[in-house]
Amino acid sequence: VDITAANRGTEKLVAAKAEGADDTVSWGREMSEEQQLKATIKDGKKKYDAVIDFIGNPRSVQVGFGSIRTGGTLQLVGMLGGPVPLEITQFLFYNCSVQGVKVATLDAMKEMVNFLSKQKLKFDSEVYKLEQINDVFKRLKEGKVKGRAVIKY
């Protein structure tokens, strides 16, 4: 399995590479959707069999879908970016599937951590106290959380 990390921030891409990602793709804030899509295409072909989208906003979903090969899967985790318009005929035409959960259950998170622990990519998290929740939301919004934010109470 080859793993490519995509992010708007260079710092997170450097961290992903250090943690074992095979490749990185910069999707800078200043880039248009078209430019982001071009960054995911190699030799005129879509590169990915699967894309896991942890953002779930209209742009990330469109770029994620535009990055998967025919027969690929778009996995959406945490659809907290608002409503996302999808043209179902695109999925049918390219024989693609979409899967997702609004928010992962505890069992699903345990399964994901277990899976990642067996892969070459490491899983980072930052642990916060419940009293810090407002600061955590601010850090999430600013893209400053490394990995996952865990609230311990």
Side-chain angles (χ1 to χ4, degrees):
V1 173
D2 287 337
I3 298 172
T4 300
N7 199 286
R8 296 182 303 198
T10 305
E11 180 182 317
K12 289 188 178 183
L13 293 175
V14 169
K17 192 74 168 170
E19 297 292 343
D22 297 295
D23 196 11
T24 60
V25 175
S26 176
W27 286 347
R29 292 179 193 269
E30 71 287 347
M31 294 173 76
S32 69
E33 188 175 315
E34 184 178 318
Q35 289 171 317
Q36 289 176 334
L37 281 169
K38 283 183 181 178
T40 67
I41 294 173
K42 183 176 183 179
D43 300 325
K45 297 181 181 178
K46 296 178 181 184
K47 293 169 49 172
Y48 307 110
D49 293 315
V51 169
I52 303 172
D53 182 349
F54 289 99
I55 305 300
N57 67 31
R59 177 179 260 182
S60 67
V61 171
Q62 290 300 326
V63 173
F65 176 76
S67 302
I68 57 175
R69 295 178 181 150
T70 297
T73 300
L74 177 61
Q75 178 72 50
L76 305 172
V77 180
M79 291 295 294
L80 302 175
V84 176
L86 292 174
E87 181 57 53
I88 197 70
T89 55
Q90 292 177 331
F91 289 92
L92 298 172
F93 184 76
Y94 292 105
N95 194 30
C96 295
S97 62
V98 62
Q99 299 175 336
V101 293
K102 183 175 180 182
V103 179
T105 64
L106 180 58
D107 286 341
M109 291 298 286
K110 286 178 181 178
E111 185 178 338
M112 181 179 70
V113 170
N114 184 42
F115 171 77
L116 291 174
S117 70
K118 295 175 182 172
Q119 306 302 313
K120 61 184 170 182
L121 190 66
K122 296 177 185 171
F123 179 78
D124 286 325
S125 62
E126 296 178 4
V127 179
Y128 299 90
K129 295 179 182 175
L130 183 59
E131 299 81 32
Q132 297 174 289
I133 198 162
N134 291 329
D135 293 330
V136 174
F137 279 120
K138 182 180 177 192
R139 289 177 49 78
L140 283 167
K141 189 174 183 178
E142 295 170 350
K144 294 183 178 178
V145 172
K146 183 178 178 187
R148 286 296 200 208
V150 177
I151 306 296
K152 190 171 183 175
Y153 62 96

